């Protein structure tokens, strides 16, 4: 049931969502830390924003629990949306705010970089991880501060706003129980937030390569594809409208991070009618994402969408595909026209 989002209601939900996991500091001390970073968060400095997030979760020994940091970022993104929503569903907001296990992809990714005992991380390692693996996660606090101060209106800030993904269609990959996977994708680029419309699914009847080709050619602008495989991996990428090149690839499970081409450019070039051999000796035809100087695809997807091979990850793998979905971003950002998107679509944010 939705309730009127009065200031008192908003603040009460914010306090429940953000401060229920903090035990070493009072609410007032935590709020003071947030306020101290307000000005810097709006300057577009991702390192400063990441530092403020860390300070909100750190203890006196200069470290913070990895899970607390990721959970805070997730909750800030929810509260940011609540601040500008005309009506809110309090029970749903609080339920979303209490899904720590759902964020294991981000938590595991941070743990791999920190290499500290006790599931903790220091400030430098957290900032390095944020800039390298999920370049947009620092905008969760910048977006919250922006909506708190400007109530969603433009502030001409140099910092891209943070927006969670909202699915407009049913998905066999993303469910109500794994909303954190969509949050992880939103943390990778400011261009990926907003409403998504599903334009292709490999589990639909009469699914074929021509169905996919028709879907991506009819959609204007970049598309996001996600692949769920039976080895518990969830991977994907972002490709331009004609699938001639990919802006970047990503992994969500078991460890979330963004991957750019290791060639002369950060993009992956897509080649079709590529052949790869499975571990059982079967030769399959499909599409491959290549570095500009690569001879072996960093990601290969068979034409019938039942097998893929991923070499771009730290631990390469090949596996059967359970489901593949392609999504298009339904709405453009405020002030951006369709013509501008087509002219600048190869300028999608892809930080190094």
């Amino acid at each position: 049931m939705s309730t009127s989002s009065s200031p008192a209601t908003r603040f009460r939900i914010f306090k429940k969502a953000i401060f229920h996991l903090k035990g070493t500091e009072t609410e007032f001390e935590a709020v003071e830390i947030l306020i101290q970073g307000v000005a810097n968060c709006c300057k577009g400095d991702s390192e400063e924003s990441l530092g403020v997030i860390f300070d909100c979760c750190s203890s006196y020994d200069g470290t913070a629990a990895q899970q607390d940091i990721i959970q805070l970022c997730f909750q800030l993104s929810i509260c940011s949306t609540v601040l500008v929503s005309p009506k809110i569903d309090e029970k749903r907001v609080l339920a979303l705010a209490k899904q720590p296990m759902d964020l294991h992809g981000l938590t595991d990714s941070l743990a791999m970089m920190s290499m500290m005992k006790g599931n903790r991380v220091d400030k430098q390692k957290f900032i390095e991880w944020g800039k390298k693996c999920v370049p947009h996660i620092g905008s969760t606090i910048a977006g919250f501060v922006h909506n708190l101060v400007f109530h969603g209106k433009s502030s001409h800030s140099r910092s891209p706003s943070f927006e969670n993904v909202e699915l407009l269609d049913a998905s066999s990959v993303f469910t109500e129980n794994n909303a954190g996977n969509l949050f992880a994708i939103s943390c990778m680029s400011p261009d990926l937030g907003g409403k998504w419309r599903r334009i292709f699914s490999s589990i639909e009847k009469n699914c074929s390569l021509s169905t996919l080709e028709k879907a991506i050619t009819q959609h204007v602008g970049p598309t996001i594809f996600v692949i769920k495989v039976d080895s518990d991996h969830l991977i994907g990428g972002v490709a331009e409208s004609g699938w001639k090149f990919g802006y970047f690839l990503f992994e969500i499970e078991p460890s979330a991070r963004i991957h750019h081409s290791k060639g002369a450019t950060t993009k992956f070039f897509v080649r079709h009618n590529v052949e790869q051999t499975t571990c059982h000796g079967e030769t399959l035809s499909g599409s491959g994402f290549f570095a500009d100087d690569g001879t072996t695809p960093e990601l290969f997807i068979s034409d019938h969408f039942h097998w893929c091979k991923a070499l771009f990850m730290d631990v390469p793998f090949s596996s059967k595909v359970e489901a593949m979905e392609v999504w298009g971003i339904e709405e453009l950002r405020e002030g951006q026209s369709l013509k501008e998107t087509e002219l600048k679509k190869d300028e999608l944010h892809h930080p190094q």
Side-chain angles (χ1 to χ4, degrees):
M1 180 177 179
S2 297
T3 58
S4 176
S5 53
S6 66
T9 302
R10 294 170 191 265
F11 187 67
R12 176 163 52 84
I13 294 178
F14 167 71
K15 287 203 301 179
K16 284 184 180 180
I18 293 297
F19 296 114
H20 77 274
L21 56 80
K22 294 192 63 64
T24 59
E25 296 168 339
T26 67
E27 293 184 10
F28 293 106
E29 288 173 328
V31 171
E32 184 179 358
I33 293 172
L34 276 171
I35 293 175
Q36 287 174 351
V38 166
N40 289 328
C41 286
C42 295
K43 291 180 180 179
D45 187 339
S46 62
E47 187 167 328
E48 185 67 38
S49 297
L50 291 170
V52 174
I53 291 171
F54 181 87
D55 291 341
C56 289
C57 300
S58 63
S59 59
Y60 296 107
D61 65 355
T63 67
Q66 298 152 7
Q67 185 173 337
D68 284 0
I69 294 176
I70 302 303
Q71 188 73 2
L72 173 62
C73 293
F74 184 42
Q75 292 167 340
L76 282 170
S77 72
I78 296 172
C79 292
S80 178
T81 302
V82 169
L83 286 170
V84 294
S85 299
K87 290 187 177 181
I88 54 176
D89 186 332
E90 182 175 347
K91 290 184 179 180
R92 176 171 171 76
V93 169
L94 293 176
L96 285 173
K98 296 177 180 178
Q99 296 188 50
M101 296 305 295
D102 186 49
L103 303 169
H104 62 83
L106 287 167
T107 305
D108 290 352
S109 176
L110 179 55
M112 290 176 63
M113 177 163 286
S114 67
M115 300 297 289
M116 288 183 66
K117 295 181 180 179
N119 297 320
R120 301 189 71 81
V121 63
D122 61 34
K123 191 172 188 176
Q124 181 180 354
K125 283 294 183 181
F126 169 64
I127 292 176
E128 290 177 3
W129 169 80
K131 295 172 71 174
K132 180 179 181 180
C133 298
V134 279
H136 195 46
I137 195 169
S139 294
T140 54
I141 195 166
F144 168 76
V145 170
H146 175 273
N147 287 344
L148 183 67
V149 176
F150 299 101
H151 197 65
K153 297 179 180 179
S154 175
S155 64
H156 304 289
S157 171
R158 291 177 296 171
S159 177
S161 61
F162 188 93
E163 189 174 4
N164 275 307
V165 174
E166 179 184 352
L167 301 183
L168 299 180
D169 298 294
S171 172
S172 59
V173 175
F174 302 111
T175 66
E176 185 76 15
N177 296 324
N178 65 7
N181 289 333
L182 288 171
F183 171 70
I185 294 176
S186 299
C187 289
M188 294 180 181
S189 169
D191 301 278
L192 302 185
K195 297 179 179 180
W196 287 12
R197 176 72 67 184
R198 181 170 56 79
I199 63 174
F200 173 82
S201 173
S202 65
I203 66 172
E204 290 185 339
K205 292 183 179 180
N206 302 319
C207 166
S208 66
L209 180 61
S210 61
T211 307
L212 173 61
E213 291 174 342
K214 182 179 180 180
I216 61 178
T217 53
Q218 289 182 346
H219 177 77
V220 178
T223 53
I224 302 99
F225 63 92
V226 290
I227 304 170
K228 183 177 177 58
V229 300
D230 60 6
S231 58
D232 295 327
H233 283 79
L234 181 61
I235 61 175
V238 181
E240 58 86 40
S241 58
W243 277 44
K244 295 179 180 179
F245 64 84
Y247 296 107
F248 55 80
L249 302 174
F250 57 75
E251 56 179 305
I252 301 301
E253 294 180 354
S255 178
R257 64 169 296 176
I258 192 171
H259 291 269
H260 298 290
S261 169
K262 297 177 181 178
T265 71
T266 60
K267 299 174 183 176
F268 294 90
F269 292 86
V270 183
R271 301 173 193 168
H272 304 285
N273 300 317
V274 176
E275 291 188 344
Q276 290 286 290
T277 303
T278 70
C279 58
H280 301 292
E282 182 183 6
T283 299
L284 300 175
S285 177
S287 300
F289 288 72
F290 293 78
D292 56 359
D293 55 355
T295 56
T296 302
E298 296 295 314
L299 174 64
F300 172 83
I301 309 168
S302 68
D303 284 343
H304 298 289
F305 318 110
H306 67 270
W307 188 81
C308 73
K309 184 177 183 180
L311 300 181
F312 66 91
M313 300 170 61
D314 294 334
V315 182
F317 74 92
S318 61
S319 182
K320 291 183 179 179
V321 174
E322 289 186 4
M324 174 177 169
E325 295 178 346
V326 181
W327 297 79
I329 299 177
E330 181 73 6
E331 295 183 354
L332 302 175
R333 290 186 173 274
E334 180 182 357
Q336 188 179 32
S337 68
L338 188 62
K339 183 177 180 181
E340 288 173 339
T341 300
E342 283 296 284
L343 290 173
K344 299 181 180 180
K345 62 186 176 185
D346 61 344
E347 298 176 7
L348 233 147
H349 290 76
H350 43 270
Q352 297 293 324

